[in-house]
Amino acid sequence: MISDDLLGSEAHWAFGTDFEDPLAGVDTTVPDDIDPAALARYCLMLGDDALVLSQRLSEWCSRAPDLEEDIALANIALDLLGEARLLLARAAVADPSVVPSLPDGSPVPAEDALAFFRSPAEFRNVTMTELPNGDFAETITRLLLFSVWRLAEFESLLTHPDAVLAAVAAKGRKELAYHRDFAARWFVTLARGTAESRRRVLTALAGLWAFWPELDAPADVEVVLDQVFAAADVSRPEVTPARGLGRECVHTEALTDLLAEMQSVARAHPRGLW
Amino acid sequence: MTVTEPQLAEHFGATIARGDRIEPRDWMPEAYRRTLIRQIAQHAHSEIIGMQPEGDWISRAPSLRRKAILLAKVQDEAGHGLYLYSACETLGTSRRELTDKLLSGKQKYSSIFNYPTPSYADVGTIGWLVDGAAICNQVPLCRTSFGPYGRAMIRICKEESFHQRQGYELLMTMMRGTDEQRAMVQESVDRFWWPALMMFGPPDGASPNTEQSMAWGIKRNTNDELRQKFVDMTVPQARALGVTLPDPQLRWNSERQAHDFGEPDWDEFWAVVNGAGPCNAERLAHRRKAHDDGAWVREAAVAFARLEEAL
Ligand SMILES: [Fe+2]
Ligand SMILES: [Fe+2]
């Protein structure tokens, strides 16, 4: 039975064709009134945010405080990875010049060329996403800030003239609402749990707050965040904003290290087939 | 009228004989309960420890598609651990108690996870051979006599078979790639073949609990039967893949209509079972660190739940 399954022609893979062509069935022509270079740059911003934070979250795999959190963090990492793939693929279609050139005959698809063959100075993610995980409180606090902002960003994209971006947003907003709820629930739990957990979450917030302005969140996002802070009995820290320039491709050492690890196998086999 | 223990035992025996399931509320012999707890816990621990050898490659997966497949697979294993701990809890133990026994070394997990994974091809080989061997072991357990265990196994086996296909597909893809990739696949298969055969446990002659477990319907086939089945299933897959298996004695025996094959190194098997494998210490240390690092979070969750209850 099992050997038939493996050798047979029936292509019945887990997760189906989702992994094959992220843009299958969507009209991928870039509308005339959109600047393709600007669209590609914007897709890289959102895509790199998702890719880099997904990479960080997946570091928790087999290390989370309990099995339920291990599974949830992997889920969130998988959602963001899926968003990253759609967005990087979109960037490559909109403006092929953003895709690094590889040796002739390299079978590497565009999404992988973008993920594995760009240097840190070509990534457009915000600084917050690249910072090391820290403890569970830091991971949760970052996820809260990031997903509150990103959910609002995706909601504003639902009516975007680019059909692909609008489709990505429609799929992603449901995922992001779950991420936000997961993070908010844990943020409140930690803030009101024990003295130790409260201390840790306040430390995490104080450290991450400097990177909040880089997201440039609209006012309604600030309102949502304040609601979570109120439930957690936490106030906005008084912190000088960091000069976050991730959107202009200026990054910390942490991104260099993250990419060195992430890209190591792909770069060792530039003609490899995976 | 009170029911006597012999009557209960007779009823239990008749249920097993009919091939019906024993459920948590049913009377069961203490030894049956103990054996099941040990077996299910060991299985649950294997799922959890089994996240590590492959999990190590998530950060370095060479394509985004492979990263997603691998992360989803390792996440599935956490889910398997979760169902199995729940099945075990119906026998009157707790996840916490079982975790303590894993961390203190009182309960074991499958020795296969004490082997290292130095190459990305190992992700494919583990899916193909290790998940493959696990399926051979576990498909019969879908009919095991204890209800919650059998039902958990049905769900788990479905996912394990996805894992096996995905692993095999990775290897197939790599074999179509560069010479270097083909060499990686062969090298990985050479390393994992014998440990995979050992996953079925010691030879029947050296497996004293098999007879009782089969009588209770906890086990359905002997170790050697399952090992044979695995070899017969895997040889044509290896041929289709284009790799050799590192056993000079491996050949088809037309009289038996089965493959003859060599004897695994049972000294190595026992050494790894008893803690001397290449990664035993590392796997437990990783698990212990995650457990210790998460203690304050679990405490916070308990404290917060109590607070909410009080409101
Ligand atoms: Fe599993
Ligand atoms: Fe598996």
Side-chain angles (χ1 to χ4, degrees), chain B residues 47 54 73-74 76-77 80 113 126-127 130-132 134-135 138 156 159-164:
Chain B
E47 300 285 356
E54 286 180 278
K73 180 197 170 170
V74 177
D76 281 349
E77 307 301 1
H80 297 171
F113 302 119
I126 288 179
V130 174
D131 286 85
I135 293 167
Q138 292 169 13
I156 289 172
E159 293 182 352
E160 301 297 11
S161 84
F162 284 138
H163 299 167
Q164 196 199 16

Side-chain angles (χ1 to χ4, degrees), chain B residues 233-278:
Chain B
M233 187 182 96
T234 308
V235 168
Q237 294 168 356
R239 203 175 300 128
L241 189 58
V243 295
T244 57
L245 298 171
D247 179 359
Q249 285 166 266
L250 183 67
R251 65 178 60 83
W252 177 249
N253 179 330
S254 57
E255 245 162 73
R256 287 203 306 124
Q257 285 295 300
H259 291 87
D260 292 337
F261 55 96
E263 198 65 33
D265 179 349
W266 294 114
D267 292 339
E268 175 185 316
F269 172 79
W270 289 114
V272 179
V273 167
N274 291 319

Side-chain angles (χ1 to χ4, degrees), chain B residues 11-50:
Chain B
H11 182 75
F12 171 84
T15 307
I16 302 264
R18 278 197 312 276
D20 284 350
R21 302 260 210 212
I22 303 296
E23 294 300 332
R25 285 155 178 261
D26 296 340
W27 182 89
M28 61 187 83
E30 248 340 277
Y32 175 86
R33 183 187 299 273
R34 250 185 290 118
T35 304
L36 265 176
I37 290 179
R38 187 167 45 85
Q39 184 176 334
I40 302 174
Q42 181 166 334
H43 189 169
H45 300 330
S46 302
E47 300 285 356
I48 300 307
I49 298 288

Side-chain angles (χ1 to χ4, degrees), chain A residues 2-3 5-7 10 12-15 19-20 51 55 58 61-68 70-71 74-75 77-78 81 85 88 111-112 115-116 135-137 186 188-190 192-194 196-197 200 261-262 264-266 269 271-274, chain B residues 48 51 57-69 71-72 74-75 78-79 81-82 85 95 120 128 135 162 164-166 168-169 173-174 176-178 180-181 184 233 236-237 240 286-287 290 294 296-301 303-304 307:
Chain A
I2 295 149
S3 84
D5 273 7
L6 270 190
L7 298 177
E10 172 216 13
H12 183 60
W13 295 97
F15 315 106
F19 286 151
E20 297 305 329
L51 178 61
Q55 179 79 2
S58 71
C61 191
S62 83
R63 294 179 177 85
D66 220 333
L67 285 178
E68 287 81 353
D70 214 296
I71 292 169
N75 245 331
L78 276 167
L81 181 55
R85 295 182 62 193
L88 295 187
E111 62 173 41
D112 290 333
F116 297 99
D135 65 9
F136 187 70
W186 268 110
V188 173
T189 301
L190 296 179
R192 301 181 56 197
T194 62
E196 165 80 353
S197 66
R200 286 181 185 252
E261 181 174 349
M262 187 179 96
S264 57
V265 180
H269 303 269
R271 287 173 198 278
L273 200 58
W274 307 100
Chain B
I48 300 307
M51 295 168 74
W57 285 100
I58 294 169
S59 66
R60 292 169 290 165
S63 77
L64 296 183
R65 173 172 172 269
R66 289 295 171 196
K67 192 190 285 290
I69 292 175
L71 181 53
V74 177
Q75 182 197 34
L82 202 54
Y85 284 127
R95 200 205 297 180
Y120 197 78
W128 176 39
I135 293 167
F162 284 138
Q164 196 199 16
R165 285 154 182 261
Q166 287 164 339
Y168 191 69
E169 192 255 353
T173 308
M174 289 180 70
R176 293 202 320 269
T178 61
E180 217 179 342
Q181 287 183 294
M184 282 168 79
M233 187 182 96
Q237 294 168 356
H286 178 115
R287 197 62 242 138
W296 68 270
V297 179
R298 296 189 300 273
E299 281 159 23
F304 183 67
L307 184 74

Side-chain angles (χ1 to χ4, degrees), chain A residues 64-138:
Chain A
D66 220 333
L67 285 178
E68 287 81 353
E69 286 70 50
D70 214 296
I71 292 169
L73 291 171
N75 245 331
I76 296 170
L78 276 167
D79 286 344
L80 291 173
L81 181 55
E83 291 173 17
R85 295 182 62 193
L86 291 165
L87 289 160
L88 295 187
R90 186 55 177 158
V93 169
D95 182 1
S97 76
V98 298
V99 182
S101 57
L102 287 167
D104 279 348
S106 165
V108 176
E111 62 173 41
D112 290 333
L114 283 166
F116 297 99
F117 292 90
R118 272 182 302 160
S119 68
E122 294 168 286
F123 274 72
R124 294 191 174 275
N125 58 287
V126 288
T127 313
M128 181 190 289
T129 57
E130 72 198 38
L131 302 175
N133 278 334
D135 65 9
F136 187 70
E138 286 174 80

Side-chain angles (χ1 to χ4, degrees), chain B residues 128-148:
Chain B
W128 176 39
L129 296 179
V130 174
D131 286 85
I135 293 167
C136 281
N137 266 329
Q138 292 169 13
V139 163
L141 293 178
C142 296
R143 296 184 295 118
T144 197
S145 60
F146 185 58

